[in-house]
Amino acid sequence: MKFRAHDTFYIRKGWLSKGMKCVVANEAVFISKEENPMDILGLGANMVKALRYWLQVVELTEESKKRKRTQQLTPLGQLVFDNDRYIEELGTLYLIQYRLASNKDEATAWYYFFNELSLAEYSRDDFVDMIQNYIRMEGHEKNVASRSLSDAFMCIVNTYLPRYKSNPSRVSAENNIDCPFGELGLIDILDKRKKRTKKAHQLLHQLIHGLL
């Protein structure tokens, strides 16, 4: 089980495309000593770390098992890079989302949310309480801090809930911080005052069973 390896940074628009492009140009982009990865990727240090994690979790890249931790495109990554490099097609987003929601070991909170969470309507506290029970039932040896689980929930919400819905007062044409997965409509606000959200059941059912 892994939590918070994203350091609370959800995937931003353009991140995956930029990451694939840079990996193709230089397999050592994330560990290069000759060139600063922050300069090459145009991201801060923690965001570079998060992007390195996300590329692997959605199975667009994989890291060499050798001593030098270089990255290469996976067969899926090569397919996306060749045919929809900028991830503009909904079908590409659904496929990547399916890989993310299926990754129990590396994206445990996402796996739990889409495969195990039985509530259609939920708050952050609901999620934290239920995933803690799940972690215990799975026999996980180490306790996971509630703060980490709370951060994971907020990262999930920010991944799928466009900013114009969650915080419309801070939306601007220059502010490109939404996640592309927001286009899938998998989460919506139920009660903003009570901070409750809901799932889009039909899409989730189709998605998790690989029908899209």
Side-chain angles (χ1 to χ4, degrees), residues 16-17 20-21 80-88:
L16 298 179
S17 300
M20 287 190 296
K21 178 182 177 181
V80 172
F81 189 75
D82 290 341
N83 296 281
D84 189 15
R85 186 171 305 183
Y86 299 104
I87 311 181
E88 298 173 319

Side-chain angles (χ1 to χ4, degrees), residues 56-170:
Q56 296 175 80
V57 167
V58 301
E59 300 180 14
L60 292 177
T61 68
E62 58 188 354
E63 286 199 353
S64 170
K65 301 301 182 183
K66 299 178 182 178
R67 191 171 185 179
K68 189 175 182 182
R69 307 290 286 182
T70 57
Q71 286 203 20
Q72 302 83 35
L73 295 183
T74 62
L76 172 62
Q78 190 66 59
L79 185 67
V80 172
F81 189 75
D82 290 341
N83 296 281
D84 189 15
R85 186 171 305 183
Y86 299 104
I87 311 181
E88 298 173 319
E89 300 294 333
L90 279 178
T92 305
L93 280 175
Y94 275 119
L95 180 57
I96 295 173
Q97 161 62 17
Y98 177 73
R99 296 297 180 94
L100 171 58
S102 302
N103 199 331
K104 182 177 181 179
D105 293 333
E106 300 297 319
T108 309
W110 268 255
Y111 174 85
Y112 174 78
F113 184 86
F114 285 106
N115 296 277
E116 302 289 345
L117 182 63
S118 59
L119 299 178
E121 304 169 4
Y122 44 83
S123 66
R124 178 164 49 185
D125 290 343
D126 294 332
F127 175 84
V128 171
D129 289 343
M130 295 189 72
I131 196 171
Q132 283 178 329
N133 290 333
Y134 170 76
I135 291 169
R136 286 192 290 267
M137 290 176 64
E138 287 289 299
H140 190 54
E141 295 179 357
K142 296 181 180 179
N143 291 327
V144 180
S146 295
R147 174 64 182 274
S148 295
L149 299 175
S150 179
D151 287 345
F153 175 79
M154 292 311 301
C155 194
I156 290 172
V157 171
N158 287 327
T159 296
Y160 301 100
L161 197 62
R163 188 56 59 98
Y164 75 87
K165 287 187 176 182
S166 62
N167 203 341
S169 63
R170 295 189 180 182

Side-chain angles (χ1 to χ4, degrees), residues 8-52:
T8 75
F9 291 106
Y10 58 92
I11 300 168
R12 268 63 166 181
K13 287 182 177 178
W15 271 22
L16 298 179
S17 300
K18 180 186 292 186
M20 287 190 296
K21 178 182 177 181
C22 290
V23 166
V24 169
N26 178 9
E27 292 184 348
V29 62
F30 288 102
I31 58 171
S32 177
K33 295 181 179 178
E34 290 74 29
E35 297 178 299
N36 189 331
M38 292 185 289
D39 293 336
I40 300 301
L41 292 161
L43 300 172
N46 290 337
M47 287 187 173
V48 169
K49 180 182 176 181
L51 177 55
R52 182 180 182 180

